[in-house]
Amino acid sequence: PCVMPVPRPEDINLPFTTCSEMQSWMGNNHCVIGEWLPFELACQYESARSGLKTTEIVEKMAEIVDIYDESIKTGLRGTTFEDRILGAQSVIYKQNLEKNGTLYDLGLIDSVILYTSAFMEMKSSFGLIVAGPTAGSCGTVPGCIIAAGKKLGKDRTDMARALLVCGLVGGFIAT
């Protein structure tokens, strides 16, 4: 399965496509579980798919993080689309969050709901998004990762690494 939108070599030879194949690959390459970071495994997979180096893969995903982040910001300003069944909700949710006592303070969960909703509203109004992992659920993963990343003070590279791991897990689920 495709995780990142990257060029694909003619003779693709993936190192693994399942968790058990990944464990075998790690054993064959003398990788110790716990010493390798999950994003490094995701980069091995993406490198085999694309021919890109780890630094290029992380930078490409960081560019996707920027698109996700901008989509969320645009969604939070409000979106419209004539045939949409449900109008923009994220703006209303944000306004209620900013009013003291209107909603319970759920911390990170509030940010996840807000970012995921804003992203999904961008999708349903045909705004600019990157559909990951699928167009139907595209707001969930980036909404969670960006909300958590901002809450924890992480930079775009850290968020890119987290998204790469999510992509690898998604690839395992798809197979």
Side-chain angles (χ1 to χ4, degrees):
C2 177
V3 178
M4 278 184 43
V6 292
R8 181 177 175 196
E10 291 293 321
D11 55 337
I12 190 168
N13 186 18
L14 296 175
F16 42 79
T17 58
T18 66
C19 288
S20 60
E21 287 177 9
M22 182 182 70
Q23 288 176 318
S24 295
W25 181 89
M26 289 178 73
N28 294 338
N29 289 281
H30 310 291
C31 303
V32 178
I33 294 176
E35 289 181 13
W36 271 61
L37 296 175
F39 96 88
E40 292 172 313
L41 294 165
C43 287
Q44 285 293 320
Y45 180 90
E46 290 298 335
S47 182
R49 275 192 61 246
S50 66
L52 297 174
K53 296 176 184 160
T54 295
T55 55
E56 296 170 304
I57 291 166
V58 173
E59 180 53 35
K60 186 161 191 65
M61 187 57 89
E63 291 170 4
I64 293 171
V65 167
D66 294 340
I67 295 169
Y68 284 148
D69 194 40
E70 190 56 38
S71 296
I72 290 166
K73 288 176 185 171
T74 303
L76 289 174
R77 289 193 293 269
T79 61
T80 57
F81 188 75
E82 189 175 313
D83 289 340
R84 188 164 61 189
I85 295 170
L86 184 62
Q89 301 296 302
S90 62
V91 173
I92 298 165
Y93 191 75
K94 183 179 179 192
Q95 289 169 349
N96 286 330
L97 284 175
E98 291 169 349
K99 292 180 188 174
N100 271 345
T102 305
L103 299 173
Y104 288 111
D105 182 0
L106 302 176
L108 176 59
I109 294 171
D110 283 327
S111 297
V112 168
I113 293 168
L114 188 63
Y115 289 8
T116 299
S117 299
F119 196 87
M120 297 289 254
E121 290 166 9
M122 282 294 291
K123 175 191 63 118
S124 69
S125 66
F126 291 92
L128 177 63
I129 64 162
V130 177
T134 66
S137 64
C138 66
T140 307
V141 171
C144 290
I145 296 298
I146 291 176
K150 288 184 176 193
K151 193 77 156 179
L152 296 170
K154 302 296 182 181
D155 63 18
R156 68 195 278 273
T157 301
D158 289 327
M159 290 185 236
R161 290 174 176 166
L163 285 166
L164 283 164
V165 173
C166 290
L168 182 61
V169 171
F172 291 155
I173 291 168
T175 57

